[in-house]
Amino acid sequence: VRSGGRLADYAHPTRGSLRMVAGPVHCEGDHPPTRAAPALGADTDDLLGELGYDSERIARLRKSGAV
């Protein structure tokens, strides 16, 4: 893995930089992302908004424990 250049450093939101095995598919001129996925629930409000939920409805869902 190391000699084949298959390691990549990824930025983690709470742990700094992490070295991990890079993605298996590489295309010439393409640079895969080197950041971690969002933390669990970090983009829930934005996603629900894209689905048509307004802020009041999202707040009700949060209050009920649904999200």
Side-chain angles (χ1 to χ4, degrees), residues 1-2 5-10 18-24 26:
V1 171
R2 186 178 297 139
R6 294 299 200 197
L7 291 177
D9 293 317
Y10 293 89
L18 297 175
R19 180 161 285 177
M20 301 183 346
V21 175
H26 294 273

Side-chain angles (χ1 to χ4, degrees), residues 40-59:
L40 183 61
D43 53 359
T44 300
D45 289 2
D46 291 337
L47 180 61
L48 289 172
E50 289 178 21
L51 294 173
Y53 290 73
D54 63 25
S55 59
E56 291 176 12
R57 187 167 181 194
I58 294 170

